[in-house]
Amino acid sequence: MFSDEVREAVSIESRWKKAAELCDAVCQTAEVRRAEASVQIRRSAKISTQTEPIEYREQPAIDGSTEPRIDSPRLLHFLRQVEPMVSKELMKNTKSHAFDGFEVNWIDHPHTVSCLHTLHYPEAQKRHLHVTGVSWNVTGSVIACAYGRLEDGDWSTEKSYVCSWNLDRRGLNPMRPNTVIDVSSAVMCLAFHPVEPSLIAGGLYNGEVLVWNSSKNDDPLIARSGMSEDTHREPVYQVQWIPSLSRSNRIHVLSASTDGKILIWQMDGRGQLVLQDGFTLIVQQMPRNIKLHKAREDTLFGVTSLSFSHLDKTVFIAGVEGGYVLKCSTEVLAHATPSSGSVPLKAPAQFTFSPHRGPVHAVDCSPFHRNLFLTAGTDGHVHLYSMLQAEPVLSLQLSQSYLFSVRWSSVRPLVFAAATGEGTVLIFDLGQSSLYPAVSIEQNIEKKPVYCLAFNPKQPELLAAGNAEGSVKVWQLSAELTKQGPREVTVLEQLANEVAD
């Protein structure tokens, strides 16, 4: 039924690949055409503008006597339109706390201490005179210095000078003072008047007290104490301007000397300083807490420094040659004995503090606390006292040599500066450390003593220092030393309260 059958093979030609076909062809882009040409703009035009209408061009400039033209109706319409919006925003600002604690600081303060000026009078330096006192005037723009000597010897007949420089004047020459006053004796101290910017009081080595008007070129001397039974007989180491003790509006000159007298003078308008009141420090009437050995009762304490309380003008602190620090009052009634002269002298001492081991060269009451004050002496120590107890709150040995000056900052309650006999100015910030100075300023390479310091009353970043080299250096302090912190007064109060307890 079935049988095998053999057929021939069948082949199918593949269409997947074809043989490659090749042909030759040539192409050419369009021809690139080139051309050269130049252009030049020759047209110009001039245009001018005028901001004022023609009718105003011929009118004179508006001065104080000419009423400016104001479109009152339009201005009134504008103000009525914007007033509600401005008032609304101002009310929102009064209730906002967005800027609580923010302190405005428009000026970039330096972060270092730099020397702005080195002032000196070549004639005084030739004669090897020292700068014995510096003072800023009430405007803070003029600084005056006294030339004298603080070495041993009789300098009473040596000619000296008082010089002043206006630091705001253009063309300032540090070697050419704006004012030079010749003085017949060494000037030991000076002080500008607190209101009149040109009046200067000075104390001399021979005991005289003088007042100059630095604005008078011909004869600046306007008053002098002269030499009499009422005047000092030894060098005057402190002068101050103080309000009258009789409650009048007059300002008097106070002088303190190593003859033990503290005298108050009034200018009489005829070139004389007339004695108005006075005090003397005599052993017989010293407070009972003072212990003196082999001292006669009529012995006088030589006054070397003095400072009035900034908050109670009847209280002052006196430093004396023996190292004692005395609290005194101008309201005492007891007269000192013996007393000579036209005005009976009173005994002002009420309390004695723990002494220095040598003369007290500087005293300065705190501008921020009624009880705290600083003293500096030849023992190289600065003492911080409270008027409520005899022992110092703080005692710092700043130098192996003498200390000649100490001054509180007028803007920082916890900052003070001290001048050493080793040629440095030390600035302490009690808020940071009571053991180490915040800044130590080298005044000169020879390490000559720095005798006096003064903070500028209007520019607290300026500190003046006078030295034995015969020059005054004006230093610019950093912001850290001039910007008061939020708790400084509180810290100072706590320090005083700890002492009171």
Side-chain angles (χ1 to χ4, degrees):
M1 186 165 124
F2 296 99
S3 62
D4 293 330
E5 185 176 354
V6 179
R7 297 257 183 192
E8 292 181 0
V10 178
S11 63
I12 301 173
E13 184 178 356
S14 174
R15 295 184 179 182
W16 176 54
K17 288 185 180 181
K18 292 182 178 181
E21 297 179 0
L22 301 177
C23 65
D24 295 330
V26 178
C27 66
Q28 175 65 44
T29 59
E31 181 182 0
V32 178
R33 296 182 180 180
R34 297 190 180 127
E36 293 183 3
S38 61
V39 296
Q40 178 65 38
I41 298 176
R42 297 181 180 179
R43 290 180 298 174
S44 62
K46 292 182 179 180
I47 300 174
S48 61
T49 61
Q50 177 64 40
T51 58
E52 296 179 352
I54 298 176
E55 58 267 22
Y56 291 112
R57 295 181 191 174
E58 303 300 329
Q59 292 186 0
I62 295 176
D63 54 21
S65 62
T66 304
E67 291 279 342
R69 293 190 176 185
I70 301 176
D71 189 350
S72 298
R74 293 183 60 192
L75 177 60
L76 181 60
H77 174 71
F78 170 75
L79 293 177
R80 286 177 174 173
Q81 185 179 4
V82 301
E83 187 273 336
M85 292 184 290
V86 174
S87 298
K88 180 181 178 182
E89 293 301 321
L90 290 176
M91 289 301 298
K92 288 173 58 179
N93 290 343
T94 59
K95 300 176 182 180
S96 173
H97 299 282
F99 294 98
D100 287 355
F102 177 74
E103 297 181 6
V104 177
N105 186 7
W106 305 112
I107 303 174
D108 292 332
H109 295 283
H111 294 280
T112 58
V113 176
S114 59
C115 184
L116 293 183
H117 306 285
T118 300
L119 312 172
H120 60 275
Y121 183 43
E123 186 64 27
Q125 285 191 319
K126 286 180 183 178
R127 300 177 50 226
H128 305 289
L129 296 179
H130 309 152
V131 176
T132 54
V134 289
S135 179
W136 296 93
N137 77 342
V138 65
T139 67
S141 60
V142 177
I143 184 171
C145 73
Y147 280 101
R149 289 189 187 275
L150 291 179
E151 296 174 343
D152 295 333
D154 182 11
W155 311 109
S156 59
T157 59
E158 183 169 3
K159 179 182 176 182
S160 188
Y161 310 95
V162 170
C163 300
S164 68
W165 289 262
N166 189 334
L167 302 186
D168 290 343
R169 184 172 295 180
R170 296 180 63 182
L172 172 69
N173 188 340
M175 298 177 60
R176 183 176 297 174
N178 300 118
T179 303
V180 177
I181 302 173
D182 294 332
V183 188
S184 59
S185 179
V187 186
M188 309 310 295
C189 54
L190 83 169
F192 265 109
H193 193 280
V195 178
E196 299 293 334
S198 60
L199 295 188
I200 308 172
L204 307 188
Y205 188 92
N206 63 9
E208 275 197 281
V209 180
L210 308 179
V211 177
W212 301 280
N213 186 341
S214 60
S215 64
K216 298 176 65 175
N217 296 325
D218 296 336
D219 186 12
L221 181 63
I222 60 174
R224 69 190 312 164
S225 64
M227 301 297 291
S228 67
E229 289 294 325
D230 289 336
T231 58
H232 295 290
R233 298 302 178 89
E234 292 188 23
V236 178
Y237 282 102
Q238 184 94 39
V239 289
Q240 287 189 17
W241 296 87
I242 64 169
S244 171
L245 302 182
S246 61
R247 309 298 182 184
S248 67
N249 293 327
R250 290 189 173 183
I251 297 178
H252 294 162
V253 180
L254 178 142
S255 60
S257 168
T258 49
D259 62 2
K261 296 179 182 179
I262 301 170
L263 305 178
I264 298 175
W265 307 89
Q266 177 185 334
M267 291 186 289
D268 65 355
R270 295 176 295 176
Q272 291 294 321
L273 288 174
V274 180
L275 185 63
Q276 294 295 302
D277 206 346
F279 310 91
T280 186
L281 301 179
I282 189 171
V283 170
Q284 180 185 4
Q285 294 171 308
M286 283 294 107
R288 293 183 179 180
N289 67 326
I290 191 171
K291 295 180 180 180
L292 298 174
H293 302 284
K294 299 180 181 180
R296 291 168 39 187
E297 290 190 349
D298 60 349
T299 301
L300 295 174
F301 283 96
V303 183
T304 52
S305 55
L306 182 145
S307 177
F308 274 82
S309 169
H310 293 268
L311 303 177
D312 185 353
K313 296 301 182 181
T314 66
V315 175
F316 66 91
I317 305 296
V320 300
E321 286 183 314
Y324 292 99
V325 181
L326 307 174
K327 179 183 178 182
C328 305
S329 173
T330 60
E331 295 185 333
V332 294
L333 299 176
H335 293 290
T337 56
S339 180
S340 62
S342 62
V343 177
L345 302 182
K346 303 171 187 176
Q350 296 181 323
F351 186 77
T352 307
F353 301 92
S354 177
H356 284 264
R357 296 191 303 273
V360 179
H361 278 313
V363 177
D364 197 27
C365 292
S366 171
F368 297 92
H369 199 282
R370 66 184 304 111
N371 292 327
L372 296 179
F373 64 93
L374 292 166
T375 62
T378 57
D379 57 0
H381 283 75
V382 163
H383 289 175
L384 173 61
Y385 289 98
S386 169
M387 296 185 189
L388 304 179
Q389 74 168 33
E391 295 298 322
V393 179
L394 188 65
S395 180
L396 302 173
Q397 183 172 2
L398 306 187
S399 173
Q400 299 298 324
S401 181
Y402 293 174
L403 294 180
F404 290 99
S405 183
V406 64
R407 289 290 180 268
W408 285 103
S409 168
S410 59
V411 293
R412 286 284 311 278
L414 298 175
V415 170
F416 68 88
T420 75
E422 298 167 334
T424 59
V425 174
L426 304 176
I427 302 178
F428 275 81
D429 185 348
L430 298 179
Q432 295 183 0
S433 173
S434 59
L435 299 177
Y436 304 100
V439 176
S440 178
I441 306 173
E442 296 291 338
Q443 282 283 108
N444 49 72
I445 301 176
E446 295 82 5
K447 296 187 179 298
K448 292 187 177 181
V450 181
Y451 287 136
C452 46
L453 297 171
F455 283 95
N456 190 302
K458 297 297 183 181
Q459 304 177 66
E461 71 275 8
L462 299 184
L463 172 66
N467 54 51
E469 200 176 37
S471 64
V472 177
K473 293 198 173 185
V474 179
W475 299 91
Q476 183 175 19
L477 306 182
S478 62
E480 289 80 2
L481 298 174
T482 58
K483 191 176 180 181
Q484 182 176 334
R487 297 188 65 255
E488 289 197 43
V489 176
T490 304
V491 173
L492 200 67
E493 187 68 37
Q494 290 174 351
L495 189 60
N497 291 339
E498 290 176 4
V499 177
D501 295 339

